[in-house]
Amino acid sequence: MATARSFETTDYKLFPSPRNVHRVVFEHQVFVPQPYALIDLPSYALRGRYSLFAACRLSDGKMGQLVTLEEADDIAKFKAKFVPD
């Protein structure tokens, strides 16, 4: 059984998704406050690379998911298509 190693950024404690193709925290980020929502990033047809992390927001301890995106234009596309379960 593989274990995901957590790490911290300035704003979040992150746990990488084992399904990530790119294990990078990209510049453009969207915090999703639903920790159990299913997010299938390949189905969003995003233009750039992306990654998904389980996340704990350090400022308030809120659990959720962090979507990180290479392209700024993909933020609007993700927000328009994402519907929480």
Side-chain angles (χ1 to χ4, degrees), residues 44-72:
Y44 287 75
L46 301 169
R47 210 174 87 212
R49 298 181 301 165
Y50 49 80
S51 56
L52 178 66
F53 299 88
C56 177
R57 192 166 48 196
L58 297 175
S59 63
D60 60 1
K62 178 74 174 167
M63 294 299 293
Q65 298 178 69
L66 187 69
V67 176
T68 72
L69 305 157
E70 184 177 44
E71 302 289 332

Side-chain angles (χ1 to χ4, degrees), residues 13 18 22 26 28-29 37 43 46-47 55-56 66 68 75-76:
K13 182 171 187 175
H22 308 288
F26 295 106
H28 308 288
Q29 304 172 355
S43 70
L46 301 169
R47 210 174 87 212
C56 177
L66 187 69
T68 72
I75 292 174

